[in-house]
Amino acid sequence: MSTKLEEIYTGQFKGKKKTFFSYLHNVCNTKKKLLVKGELLEIHQKMKNKSKANHLTENKSRNTNFDELENIINTFTESLVLDSSVYIEVRDAIGKPEYYYFNTESFSGRKISALNFLQAKEKLRFPSANNDILTLNFQTFYEKYMKVKEPKSIGKGVEYLNRYLSSNMFSNPYKMLGNALFNFLFVHKYDSQQLIVNDRIDQLGKLRFAIDKAINFLKRQDSERPFSEIKHELQQIGFEPGLGNTAGRILDMLQQLDSLLTNPDHISLKEFLSRIPMIYNIAVISPHGYFGQDNVLGKPDTGGQIVYILDQVKALEKEISHSLEIAGLEAKHKIIILTRLIPNAGNTSCNQRLEKVNDTKNVWILRVPFREHNKNITDNWISRFEIWPFLEEFTEDSYKELLVEFGAKPDLVIGNYSDGNLVATILSKKFGVTQCNVAHALEKSKYLFSSLFWDEMENQYHFSIQYTADLLAMNSADFIITSTYQEIAGTEDGIGQYESYINFTMPNLYRVTGGIDIYHPKFNILPPGVNFDIFFPHYKKENRISEITEEVENLFFKDKGDFVIGKLKNPKLPPIFSIARLDKIKNLTSLVKWYGESAELQSQTNLIIVAGKIKQEDSSDAEEKEQILLMHKYIDQYKLNDHIRWLRGDPDRRRLPEYYRVIADKKGIFIQPALFEGFGLTVIEAMRSGLPTFATKYGGPLEIIEDEISGFHIDPIDGKGTTEMLIKFFRDCEGNQAYYEKISRRAIERVENTYNWSLYSKNFLSLAKIYGFWKYISNLEMTELHAYLDLLYHMLYKPRAKAMLELHKAK
Ligand code: UDP
Ligand code: LCN
């Protein structure tokens, strides 16, 4: 509760109340109906400045009023103005929005519910809006469950869950969780072979006795003695394969189980569950874009998600293999990436049903076509905003195909992005297995007021369907992986991507009060890595292939052709480099503009950009076409032909890492100027290569880079400020190369220690097992939530997706 605000408007301090209401008057006077944080702060700043100008600075109490007010206004995220009424959303605590209503005529105010706030928002859009629309609330289903308490613990769900489970086991020995754990040990089978324990142990008491007996036996064995040699004795006592491949490992595992049953703690629970073999087959769902290994990156809707998944599955396969080996099991395992088959796939393999993933033993890409109502297969690429009508049949077909390919059901389904997470929701339910979601980027916070103005954007983006899918998938997931903290809970200045789903409205459609609880322990932060085999520091010359270095140097400085714009007059200058899909949100056109506007930057540096297509007619994506036009416009307007090199996007993973390294050889820098970036794989790729990196402060890079230590944060809204930072950096480096080297070294170290796939896969598998256990013991209690989700899927999602198809047919 924002008590300070309440103290002020209730008039406990008269002067403060007056200042606050004159602030609200100024808010009304802007004639804006909807104001966001920056605007609300600006109004206050203007008042403060005016007051100073009126020689009131000596008035100490008035100044204090202004300062206190500033602290309070800093917690305002949004305000609505309806005549003399002002409604304010306050974010005093992360993930716990509060709402207030003020009447600027009667100088009164009160706290209101989220529902009242959303209703006012609807009235603001449509004065005759129907108050009586559907209100969704998911929180009633979670009330009986534990939650993470502190904002700083958000995203550490598994730690919290383990503490909760183990402390309950302790306070309730042999009751709920003790019994649950005991029953859980029997669940594990591989094919039809029983694992862990057999039916000689039919009560919890007998398990304790059997553990003692086995520990005594194992202590007498050489710790390296293989399981196969002691299998028979252990079976007699009641233990089966899966505890370890040597006497030492099995002993360790049983001692852990023993301490878990007598004196449980969260660490031994985590260790024990993480070592039980539970995961053999994984389905990874990623329907949109071109999912392939070659010639796809840089195509529309085809970026970091694909890089992430291809690296992720390789790391997971290694980890599963290793964990099964040390568990003493010779078990087959398989990972299938499920995506869409595109018949007209150009120079990619996206028209092939099955494709083996390179450098893996048993990881495959399975492609299933989109069909329209059991009829025609759709032939061409379809934008991720328009694939919703196809997903139901795609899921049905995929369910059958996955069963055939795995020869059984998978043990885990991992969804990716809104479409993949929706498919994962349905598949995991059908298979009855654990569901994990990875969002990569949620669209909702990328577009300002995209839910309030959903109807105006619907034709292009169909957000009403996407947000419904998001709500279903987030609430259905057993656990959610995010790449950063701010993805869930935002920063002091801005709300998180998941946080934006707590309360929102889509006028005349439905509203949501309690869409997600970011304090739920299902959230876990697990950042991705970079592939260290291909991305390494530029100075490791022995690992570089000189032909590729030469190829890239030629691309940057020599070659001519229809794949490039501009020729660098002075190739010796250090380059400013950027690579991305040519989407509006990536903001590369602004980068060209900033560069064009600064004669000093042009005299200090070159600009090298690798992005998209360079001819409009080569692009099939509306947004990319627009950006291509703008790139050309700025290059011509600022006469940049001698200073810029704009190369078309390059999907070649053999050559791409060398781009960063050649730039680092030239003492250049990397810049990522996106208006918003979910995570930003290019940022960690550049840093790993040794490039001082300047990246957007909106999104993942804010957490990746420690400002002025391992790189720099930039504000893409502030072009001038960014240009000045770049100029200063190059000036500082001119007289002091050690400065460049210091930032470069810190960037390399930062990525090495934090963005590491082997760390990721270890933690990921452990999470999958712990949430698998949690699902097992809490499953029955979640039936009401799942029934509600089912209802919404059929009553809300499906009709809208179907209507969208009709709309398209009519176009
Ligand atoms: N990429 C590429 N060629 C291109 C453009 C991008 O290989 O022409 C790769 C880039 O190296 C990175 C990924 O695509 O691995 C982009 O991921 P990021 O997270 O930066 O952005 P996204 O495209 O997912 O928004
Ligand atoms: C999608 C994005 O937009 C990027 O910010 C991420 O880095 C990428 O996915 C991988 O998660």
Side-chain angles (χ1 to χ4, degrees):
M1 151 99 87
S2 185
T3 40
K4 284 245 166 65
L5 177 61
E6 208 159 79
E7 276 169 16
I8 289 176
Y9 71 74
T10 51
Q12 291 188 26
F13 308 97
K14 285 233 160 45
K16 287 181 193 168
K17 180 171 177 178
K18 202 169 150 216
T19 318
F20 181 59
F21 275 92
S22 55
Y23 167 75
L24 292 182
H25 268 289
N26 285 332
V27 170
C28 292
N29 283 343
T30 60
K31 304 281 181 239
K32 282 189 181 161
K33 288 182 166 182
L34 202 55
L35 293 97
V36 290
K37 185 175 181 136
E39 294 166 311
L40 291 165
L41 279 168
E42 201 180 308
I43 295 168
H44 172 262
Q45 195 57 45
K46 275 192 186 146
M47 271 176 76
K48 197 171 159 182
N49 293 346
K50 200 168 156 198
S51 164
K52 271 191 186 167
N54 288 345
H55 308 292
L56 289 166
T57 33
E58 301 84 58
N59 186 336
K60 262 202 173 149
S61 75
R62 194 177 168 99
N63 283 344
T64 321
N65 286 353
F66 273 121
D67 291 343
E68 262 189 39
L69 198 56
E70 185 167 343
N71 290 337
I72 290 171
I73 295 170
N74 226 336
T75 64
F76 294 179
T77 44
E78 201 173 286
S79 102
L80 325 172
V81 182
L82 285 162
D83 304 322
S84 54
S85 300
V86 182
Y87 296 79
I88 296 183
E89 182 182 65
V90 177
R91 185 176 179 254
D92 199 25
I94 287 173
K96 295 183 178 163
E98 292 181 348
Y99 301 92
Y100 291 86
Y101 162 79
F102 299 101
N103 188 315
T104 53
E105 279 173 359
S106 62
F107 294 89
S108 61
R110 68 188 145 85
K111 197 168 178 206
I112 56 170
S113 65
L115 177 69
N116 291 152
F117 182 78
L118 296 178
Q119 283 170 336
K121 236 176 164 176
E122 289 151 18
K123 285 265 178 282
L124 180 141
R125 275 280 342 262
F126 302 106
S128 58
N130 182 4
N131 253 352
D132 204 16
I133 58 168
L134 176 66
T135 304
L136 304 182
N137 186 333
F138 297 84
Q139 292 323 304
T140 40
F141 299 105
Y142 297 113
E143 263 157 19
K144 56 185 173 208
Y145 293 106
M146 74 292 181
K147 284 178 191 165
V148 165
K149 292 207 169 55
E150 302 282 318
K152 68 175 190 305
S153 306
I154 292 173
K156 295 181 184 164
V158 77
E159 243 176 64
Y160 198 81
L161 192 61
N162 278 326
R163 279 177 205 274
Y164 170 82
L165 290 172
S166 53
S167 66
N168 263 294
M169 237 179 250
F170 193 56
S171 62
N172 245 341
Y174 305 116
K175 285 198 189 140
M176 184 199 128
L177 288 167
N179 276 326
L181 180 64
F182 176 69
N183 293 333
F184 185 65
L185 296 177
F186 284 91
V187 174
H188 305 287
K189 288 198 169 68
Y190 173 69
D191 274 344
S192 52
Q193 181 190 6
Q194 179 63 40
L195 304 179
I196 315 289
V197 288
N198 61 36
D199 52 16
R200 283 169 199 266
I201 302 173
D202 56 3
Q203 292 163 14
L204 198 47
K206 282 195 190 164
L207 176 62
R208 303 272 332 256
F209 180 73
I211 292 173
D212 284 347
K213 202 166 166 195
I215 287 179
N216 278 336
F217 164 72
L218 290 163
K219 277 186 175 162
R220 296 196 303 272
Q221 311 302 313
D222 177 346
S223 68
E224 290 304 313
R225 193 162 180 209
F227 167 68
S228 55
E229 292 179 12
I230 48 174
K231 183 178 171 177
H232 186 65
E233 287 86 342
L234 287 171
Q235 215 157 31
Q236 293 295 316
I237 303 174
F239 294 106
E240 293 290 333
L243 290 164
N245 60 344
T246 60
R249 283 219 169 85
I250 302 170
L251 176 61
D252 198 36
M253 187 78 164
L254 288 179
Q255 281 171 334
Q256 227 152 33
L257 180 58
D258 189 37
S259 86
L260 213 48
L261 292 172
T262 48
N263 189 11
D265 69 280
H266 65 284
I267 296 171
S268 46
L269 182 65
K270 175 180 178 241
E271 300 264 304
F272 181 75
L273 290 175
S274 304
R275 286 172 63 175
I276 294 188
M278 294 184 217
I279 313 271
Y280 310 92
N281 294 331
I282 304 180
V284 180
I285 323 293
S286 181
H288 74 250
Y290 289 84
F291 203 111
Q293 299 181 82
D294 294 308
N295 295 331
V296 299
L297 289 170
K299 283 191 186 294
D301 290 347
T302 308
Q305 182 170 323
I306 285 167
V307 175
Y308 179 118
I309 294 172
L310 284 172
D311 285 345
Q312 174 202 41
V313 288
K314 287 175 194 165
L316 283 178
E317 182 185 58
K318 271 197 196 126
E319 189 54 36
I320 295 176
S321 213
H322 172 70
S323 68
L324 290 176
E325 190 193 322
I326 60 171
L329 275 188
E330 266 179 43
K332 283 195 200 127
H333 48 94
K334 187 170 190 171
I335 301 179
I336 296 178
I337 302 163
L338 173 72
T339 188
R340 179 199 162 197
L341 183 140
I342 310 174
N344 291 341
N347 61 348
T348 73
S349 56
C350 297
N351 53 0
Q352 282 174 26
R353 181 177 172 274
L354 261 185
E355 180 181 335
K356 175 105 185 282
V357 174
N358 303 331
D359 309 320
T360 66
K361 293 201 179 89
N362 207 9
V363 182
W364 299 83
I365 302 170
L366 170 67
R367 299 191 182 90
V368 174
F370 280 175
R371 288 186 295 130
E372 287 175 32
H373 299 298
N374 286 324
K375 280 190 257 143
N376 309 335
I377 286 176
T378 51
D379 286 333
N380 298 321
W381 167 80
I382 300 173
S383 150
R384 70 185 191 277
F385 297 119
E386 303 195 333
I387 67 174
W388 304 107
F390 303 97
L391 292 183
E392 189 184 358
E393 268 148 327
F394 172 78
T395 310
E396 267 172 39
D397 295 345
S398 301
Y399 173 72
K400 292 177 210 139
E401 297 215 24
L402 284 170
L403 277 178
V404 171
E405 290 304 322
F406 281 125
K409 60 180 192 171
D411 307 293
L412 172 69
V413 179
I414 309 173
N416 291 276
Y417 189 69
S418 305
D419 54 348
N421 287 329
L422 182 74
V423 175
T425 300
I426 307 166
L427 283 178
S428 60
K429 198 167 127 224
K430 275 181 122 158
F431 287 126
V433 300
T434 311
Q435 176 190 351
C436 166
N437 286 7
V438 187
H440 297 281
L442 290 163
E443 300 295 336
K444 196 156 171 294
S445 36
K446 273 194 200 171
Y447 301 80
L448 194 62
F449 302 127
S450 61
S451 51
L452 187 59
F453 290 88
W454 70 276
D455 50 321
E456 289 181 2
M457 302 184 188
E458 193 68 354
N459 217 1
Q460 188 180 0
Y461 293 116
H462 310 280
F463 284 145
S464 75
I465 308 180
Q466 182 151 2
Y467 299 165
T468 310
D470 286 339
L471 284 171
L472 296 174
M474 308 174 175
N475 282 289
S476 151
D478 295 296
F479 67 109
I480 295 176
I481 298 292
T482 71
S483 298
T484 59
Y485 175 87
Q486 61 86 35
E487 187 177 335
I488 316 170
T491 60
E492 275 204 0
D493 294 331
I495 69 168
Q497 295 182 57
Y498 280 97
E499 197 180 3
S500 74
Y501 284 77
I502 297 177
N503 297 322
F504 68 97
T505 181
M506 293 194 273
N508 292 331
L509 185 61
Y510 67 80
R511 63 174 84 92
V512 180
T513 58
I516 189 79
D517 184 350
I518 60 171
Y519 288 82
H520 192 283
K522 68 168 75 176
F523 285 102
N524 285 282
I525 305 162
L526 196 54
V530 249
N531 183 340
F532 290 165
D533 294 336
I534 61 170
F535 292 98
F536 49 82
H538 71 111
Y539 52 74
K540 294 208 163 170
K541 299 270 186 215
E542 66 283 9
N543 295 350
R544 293 172 68 175
I545 297 171
S546 55
E547 287 78 10
I548 302 181
T549 310
E550 202 176 318
E551 207 174 299
V552 172
E553 282 172 347
N554 287 341
L555 279 172
F556 284 166
F557 307 111
K558 286 193 186 138
D559 292 349
K560 287 184 192 149
D562 60 0
F563 54 87
V564 61
I565 298 286
K567 173 119 181 45
L568 303 174
K569 193 172 70 186
N570 185 357
K572 289 219 170 84
L573 291 177
I576 295 173
F577 176 57
S578 197
I579 178 167
R581 287 177 293 117
L582 199 48
D583 266 11
K584 194 171 167 194
I585 202 102
K586 298 289 183 187
N587 206 25
L588 290 174
T589 45
S590 294
L591 173 63
V592 176
K593 188 165 180 281
W594 303 335
Y595 183 78
E597 282 168 352
S598 169
E600 179 157 10
L601 207 52
Q602 288 169 45
S603 70
Q604 276 179 318
T605 63
N606 288 316
L607 179 60
I608 301 183
I609 291 179
V610 177
K613 301 273 186 314
I614 56 176
K615 284 192 198 146
Q616 253 204 335
E617 59 269 29
D618 292 342
S619 174
S620 54
D621 184 53
E623 202 171 293
E624 190 180 61
K625 277 175 186 275
E626 214 177 81
Q627 293 296 297
I628 295 171
L629 205 67
L630 210 53
M631 286 286 272
H632 285 287
K633 183 184 146 199
Y634 290 141
I635 293 172
D636 293 344
Q637 181 180 337
Y638 296 106
K639 300 189 176 46
L640 293 177
N641 251 298
D642 293 344
H643 296 278
I644 194 173
R645 189 81 171 161
W646 169 26
L647 290 150
R648 72 170 168 222
D650 189 349
D652 190 338
R653 291 310 266 177
R654 184 192 53 108
R655 187 166 47 213
L656 191 112
E658 198 58 24
Y659 282 168
Y660 296 106
R661 293 192 285 261
V662 169
I663 300 287
D665 295 340
K666 294 256 172 203
K667 300 286 172 244
I669 59 110
F670 183 73
I671 182 162
Q672 213 283 18
L675 297 170
F676 179 81
E677 187 60 63
F679 179 70
L681 289 177
T682 55
V683 173
I684 53 176
E685 291 168 359
M687 288 167 73
R688 169 72 180 158
S689 312
L691 282 171
T693 298
F694 293 68
T696 180
K697 65 174 194 169
Y698 301 115
L702 187 70
E703 265 169 66
I704 299 173
I705 293 173
E706 308 133 299
D707 195 23
E708 297 187 31
I709 298 173
S710 48
F712 302 88
H713 297 152
I714 58 167
D715 183 352
I717 317 271
D718 178 13
K720 264 211 164 81
T722 304
T723 307
E724 277 161 21
M725 271 176 78
L726 292 171
I727 292 174
K728 180 174 180 312
F729 177 79
F730 284 106
R731 262 199 221 134
D732 289 351
C733 290
E734 236 169 33
N736 179 11
Q737 261 314 307
Y739 179 56
Y740 183 98
E741 300 306 335
K742 189 169 99 183
I743 303 283
S744 162
R745 185 169 30 82
R746 293 252 173 93
I748 295 169
E749 282 165 8
R750 171 83 177 147
V751 175
E752 208 156 273
N753 298 334
T754 321
Y755 303 102
N756 183 316
W757 281 116
S758 111
L759 217 62
Y760 174 103
S761 54
K762 239 185 208 47
N763 286 328
F764 186 94
L765 273 193
S766 160
L767 289 178
K769 292 177 181 183
I770 294 163
Y771 284 92
F773 173 60
W774 173 238
K775 186 183 178 74
Y776 173 80
I777 63 172
S778 64
N779 210 7
L780 279 179
E781 299 171 41
M782 296 309 276
T783 46
E784 295 133 343
L785 169 65
H786 286 285
Y788 185 62
L789 295 175
D790 209 33
L791 181 82
L792 296 179
Y793 175 69
H794 288 280
M795 306 297 286
L796 213 55
Y797 171 83
K798 270 171 61 168
R800 292 203 72 76
K802 195 168 163 228
M804 185 183 152
L805 192 62
E806 300 307 322
L807 198 85
H808 271 265
K809 275 191 196 151
K811 262 189 195 171

